[in-house]
Every structure is written in structure tokens, then in C-alpha cells.
Amino acid sequence: MRASFVFSEVITGLRRNITMTIAMILTTAISLGLLGGGLLIVRMIDKMQLIYSDKVQVMVSLTDDISANDNNCSSSICANLQRDLQGSSNVEAVTFQNRQQSFQRFQQLFQAEPELLRLTRPESLPATLQVRLADPSKADVLVKAFTGKPGVKTVDDQGVFLQRFFGILDSVRYAVFLIALVQAAAAVLLISNTIQVSAFTRRVEVGIMRLVGATRWYTQLPFLIEAVVAGIIGSILGIVGLGLAKVFFLDSALSGPIASGVLPRLDLLDVVAISPILVGVAVVISAITGYVTLRLYVRL
């Protein structure tokens, strides 16, 4: 098989159906960009699970009178609570954080929200006993045991909040994957139509080739390569779009949570890491769609 002829046919086909080729490339880029966005969310969730897996705590918020008058947990009620917590099974450490320390932590977390910081006063935040557990999955036992005790305002399991937060991220990921699937279906239809139109416009040349002994595979290969090339170009555009979205949108939109350590930073290396997956998906979908279209709808 003469490679020069095959590649010249590929270039001719891409130029001859330039509008449909561009539409196919753009649709593929959008669908793969959405798929890449979903994969980046997966990587963010994985990073967050690594960060928070050993930091999940139970927060025992103290009543207003203790928060206002006890700066070092020296009162009898606070000291008894701390001692009881330290003596509980599954508890590794108990740390007291007074109202002023809670406010400083609040300022650190929300430094990107000046209006919220301006409206918040130290008096609105309670002193807390922060409990680190050996097995965070059994936090509900501690929550039930200390809820309602003297000096306790609320008992909150951070693991419950994280599960809800991860659930929201999962929902966003599934929504992005669903939209990507719809776009992928549009890309598949465009690839199929482009191949059929390309084959129709070159039916005379292909017919002559078959008459002089060219095999069916030899005449169909250029159309298959056209689909794969368009898919690869679309995947590259999708990857570039992801990188640009990361630099110019995500970094600024999530700068506050990232700076305070609430969310992990996504680097360009994360985009690079998922790039082979996107290129591979583009090649596989384009090749399979092209092959099926040629076998079912095109007689060359």
C-alpha cells in the first residue's frame, strides 16, 4: 500500500469537506473538553480525600458563657468536658480553641471575602474542643454521647459535611459527563455524515480504483484516517481549552478556597495527566464510528 497516496487522499478529503470537518472537530473538542472537566473534578475529589482523610474531626462547640469567659479551658465545665473526651475510646487528641483563635481561623479561611469578614465579629464564633479520632467512621458514637451535655452548644462531625460536599461534587461530575455524552453522540453523527459525504464526492475515483484491482480496505482507509485525524485535532483543541479554562477561570474563581487550603490546587500537570485519556477516547470513537459507517452505509 502506497502511504503517499493514502495521505494525499486524506488531505484532499479534509479540504474538500472543510465545513463539515470543522464542525466535527469543534463538536469533538467540546465533548472531550467536558469529559476532561469531569476527570479534573475526579482528580480534585481524590486530592481532597487524601488531604482530609486524616484531618476529619468532631467539633464540640461550647456555650456562649464559656466562650466569652474561658480563654484556656480552665473552668470546671470545660475542663471536665475535655477530660471526658480524652478518656473516650477512639479519641486520639483533644485541642481547645478559644473564641479569638476561632475568629483568626475564620479570617484565614475567608480572606478572599472582605465583606463577610467585615460583618463578622469574634462574638459570633464559639470556643471549641476539636477532637481527632482514631477511626472517623465511628464519630456518630461520640456525637450522641456528648450532645446535650452541660456547656455543650453543638457537636458537629466534619465527616458528614465532607460527605455532603463530595456528594455535590459527584453530582456536578455526573452532570458534566452526561452533557459530554450528548456532545459525543453529536460528534459520532457528524463523523458518520462526514464520511458518507466524503465517500459520495469521491465515488468516481474510488470506482475506478476498484475496477483496476484496488482492495476494499485500500479504498476505505483514507476515509477512516480522515475521521481519526479530525478526532485527534478535536482532542488537542479540547485539551488546550481545558488548560485555558484552568488558567483564566478556575484559578481566579477558586483563588480564595485554594489559598485558605479548603480546596486543593489543580495544576497544568493535572490537565497533562488526563490528556492521553482524551486523545485515546478521540481515536477510539473516531476509528470505530468510521469503520462502522463504512461497513454499513458506504459501498466502496
Side-chain angles (χ1 to χ4, degrees), residues 41-49 166 169-170 173:
I41 293 176
V42 172
R43 292 183 68 86
M44 177 180 285
I45 293 175
D46 290 341
K47 287 185 177 183
M48 289 184 67
Q49 289 174 337
F166 289 149
L169 290 180
D170 282 337
R173 177 184 62 180

Side-chain angles (χ1 to χ4, degrees), residues 175-274:
V176 171
F177 282 158
L178 180 60
I179 298 173
L181 183 62
V182 174
Q183 288 288 337
V188 167
L189 294 175
L190 271 174
I191 292 172
S192 178
N193 288 336
T194 302
I195 290 176
Q196 293 182 61
V197 171
S198 182
F200 180 80
T201 57
R202 284 183 279 173
R203 64 191 185 281
V204 176
E205 297 98 313
V206 173
I208 294 174
M209 292 172 60
R210 293 299 302 275
L211 287 175
V212 297
T215 64
R216 184 174 183 178
W217 177 248
Y218 185 68
T219 57
Q220 288 183 348
L221 185 60
F223 303 103
L224 190 61
I225 294 179
E226 284 177 30
V228 173
V229 169
I232 292 175
I233 295 174
S235 66
I236 293 173
L237 288 179
I239 293 167
V240 172
L242 273 179
L244 293 176
K246 185 266 173 196
V247 172
F248 295 105
F249 175 72
L250 283 181
D251 285 353
S252 58
L254 302 178
S255 59
I258 290 174
S260 59
V262 176
L263 293 177
R265 179 180 298 276
L266 288 175
D267 301 317
L268 287 176
L269 287 178
D270 293 301
V271 178
V272 173
I274 66 172

Side-chain angles (χ1 to χ4, degrees), residues 2 44 59 71 90 95 98 100 142 220 266 279 297:
R2 294 171 55 189
M44 177 180 285
M59 306 290 291
N71 290 324
N90 194 36
T95 304
N98 61 37
Q100 187 59 39
L142 192 71
Q220 288 183 348
L266 288 175
V279 175
Y297 302 109

Side-chain angles (χ1 to χ4, degrees), residues 14 17-28 190 237:
L14 292 174
N17 304 294
I18 186 66
T19 54
M20 292 192 70
T21 299
I22 292 175
M24 179 171 60
I25 290 173
L26 292 178
T27 306
T28 303
L190 271 174
L237 288 179

Side-chain angles (χ1 to χ4, degrees), residues 72-254:
N72 53 14
C73 200
S74 58
S75 65
S76 59
I77 295 178
C78 183
N80 289 336
L81 281 172
Q82 187 173 27
R83 184 176 60 253
D84 292 343
L85 286 168
Q86 290 172 338
S88 301
S89 61
N90 194 36
V91 173
E92 287 189 344
V94 180
T95 304
F96 175 74
Q97 183 173 276
N98 61 37
R99 173 171 278 175
Q100 187 59 39
Q101 291 170 332
S102 297
F103 183 65
Q104 291 173 353
R105 176 60 176 163
F106 179 85
Q107 289 178 312
Q108 179 184 357
L109 289 175
F110 296 97
Q111 56 184 323
E113 302 291 339
E115 187 65 21
L116 180 61
L117 293 178
R118 186 180 66 82
L119 296 174
T120 305
R121 294 291 180 267
E123 295 76 19
S124 60
L125 300 174
T128 59
L129 289 168
Q130 302 177 358
V131 185
R132 189 171 74 247
L133 303 178
D135 185 1
S137 64
K138 299 179 180 179
D140 57 326
V141 176
L142 192 71
V143 172
K144 293 177 182 178
F146 283 85
T147 298
K149 279 199 169 189
V152 175
K153 186 176 183 179
T154 59
V155 183
D156 300 305
D157 178 12
Q158 292 180 336
V160 174
F161 168 77
L162 286 178
Q163 288 176 356
R164 293 174 181 171
F165 183 67
F166 289 149
I168 294 173
L169 290 180
D170 282 337
S171 300
V172 173
R173 177 184 62 180
Y174 293 141
V176 171
F177 282 158
L178 180 60
I179 298 173
L181 183 62
V182 174
Q183 288 288 337
V188 167
L189 294 175
L190 271 174
I191 292 172
S192 178
N193 288 336
T194 302
I195 290 176
Q196 293 182 61
V197 171
S198 182
F200 180 80
T201 57
R202 284 183 279 173
R203 64 191 185 281
V204 176
E205 297 98 313
V206 173
I208 294 174
M209 292 172 60
R210 293 299 302 275
L211 287 175
V212 297
T215 64
R216 184 174 183 178
W217 177 248
Y218 185 68
T219 57
Q220 288 183 348
L221 185 60
F223 303 103
L224 190 61
I225 294 179
E226 284 177 30
V228 173
V229 169
I232 292 175
I233 295 174
S235 66
I236 293 173
L237 288 179
I239 293 167
V240 172
L242 273 179
L244 293 176
K246 185 266 173 196
V247 172
F248 295 105
F249 175 72
L250 283 181
D251 285 353
S252 58
L254 302 178

